[in-house]
Amino acid sequence: MPNPDQLIDQTLAAEERDLLRRIGEDPSHVQQALTLFAGRSGWVSGLLLAVQAVMFIAGLWAGWQFFQAQDTLAALHWGLPSAVLLVMSLMIKLALWPVMQTNRLLVALKRLELMVTQRSGVDS
């Protein structure tokens, strides 16, 4: 009959191998983007993405109206809001990129922490 300490060590080793396998591979860009919607602040990212989409569509529509305008005043009436909406939608999208980078750094730190834990377990 195996010792309970040996069973715990075997179980932990299997969990660590599984964790290393999951952490070891870099996620694709789509997987990283989907992690924006996980966690406690996922709803904020969803709201920002929805607002960004609305601004982008409104900017495209205003841009279409700009190119359909017959006189200069009407073109300015549609062109300036189009430019502002498109730039604002780009800024919201760019605001989400640092969150993705932070998530990548957290995964790298977890990987490093696990490696240090394994090394300290081997040395002792």
Side-chain angles (χ1 to χ4, degrees), residues 17-67:
R17 281 192 300 274
D18 183 48
L19 185 61
L20 277 176
R21 183 188 51 76
R22 285 186 295 154
I23 292 177
E25 54 196 39
D26 286 332
S28 68
H29 189 73
V30 173
Q31 289 172 333
Q32 290 178 26
L34 290 176
T35 62
L36 292 172
F37 306 109
R40 292 183 294 170
S41 62
W43 69 273
V44 175
S45 297
L47 181 65
L48 283 174
L49 194 63
V51 168
Q52 183 268 335
V54 168
M55 284 183 172
F56 182 74
I57 292 169
L60 287 179
W61 182 75
W64 181 264
Q65 296 298 321
F66 166 76
F67 286 110

Side-chain angles (χ1 to χ4, degrees), residues 27 38 68 81 93:
Q68 299 298 320
K93 177 128 354 217

